[in-house]
Amino acid sequence: MESYWVEHVLGSTVTGVTLPTIEEISKLCDRAKRILEDESSVVSIQTPVTVVGDLHGQLYDLLELFRIGGLCPESRYLFLGDYVDRGHHSVETILLLLCLKVKHPSLVTLIRGNHETRQITQVYGFYDECLRKFNGSSEVWTLVTGLFDCLPVSVVIEDASAFALHAGLSPTLTTLDQIRSLDRQREVPHEGAMCDLLWSDPDEDVVGWGISPRGAGYLFGKDVVEQFNHRNNLKIICRSHQLVMQGYKEIFDSQLTTVWSAPNYCYRCGNKAAILVFENGNDRFYDVFLAAYERPKQKSATSDEETADDMDELDSEEHNKQFFL
């Protein structure tokens, strides 16, 4: 099923995607869970590897990303989370990534973002998309969010001395061994170390730790990054979680980089996207790309209404508060 689904989705930009059955998705999730459960909370990988930031259900931009960065097994990928919500194709996006993980487990690394939770996906689109695409059934949402509990939370690219995670650091975690010991296989708590890794943000105006406007995680400054990297023999921290208009941004004397891989985020932001390629332990570069052509939706009696509802949600006060989720 995995090989078929990968080829089917990759060829779907014109003809559209025919989704697998719920039974097929259940089998895929079971196989993927068995792989993920055996992985450490800090996965160790080697270069060459391509680092991918937030995707948010923008399937056609993911396909464009593969066109630029290459396909497995020719390329190795590290995905930093936030695979679902916001975009129109969260179901197809996460299923494609799970198929690639099952088909190439040593070449595809998936870690958890703050949107890979039951609570967030019920608010920002994935839950409703599952209902819409599976005749009102929430079973696919239940299967996939159960799998989210098994995702690792971070990665070390050993020969590049790079640490990768979705969001940021925690004041209660100062070593990689502490992260390895986390009890990660559960719903993300509202506070604490695991929450911090999926919610915190760097801030160039902060010294030490600050209060996050998100209401979860922390803001942290250059001194925190320097101390963490020095203590753990790291050169750079790679993360996503925040929209970057040029696709990537290095700060703190290039000791931390943010990579954003969803171009024209929410189909309206006009931003570029990027992937970060570690060629070897010493060389890295960014590939910047624009939004791919997306096949227009077929018009129906409800399509205009649904589009209007989507735009109303994007323009809401709540969306403005949470824009960089």
Side-chain angles (χ1 to χ4, degrees), residues 290-301:
L290 301 176
Y293 167 79
E294 181 167 356
R295 182 176 61 85
K297 291 182 174 180
Q298 287 186 337
K299 289 187 177 181
S300 66

Side-chain angles (χ1 to χ4, degrees), residues 299-311:
K299 289 187 177 181
S300 66
T302 60
S303 63
D304 292 338
E305 179 181 349
E306 289 173 356
T307 301
D309 289 344
D310 289 343
M311 295 309 296

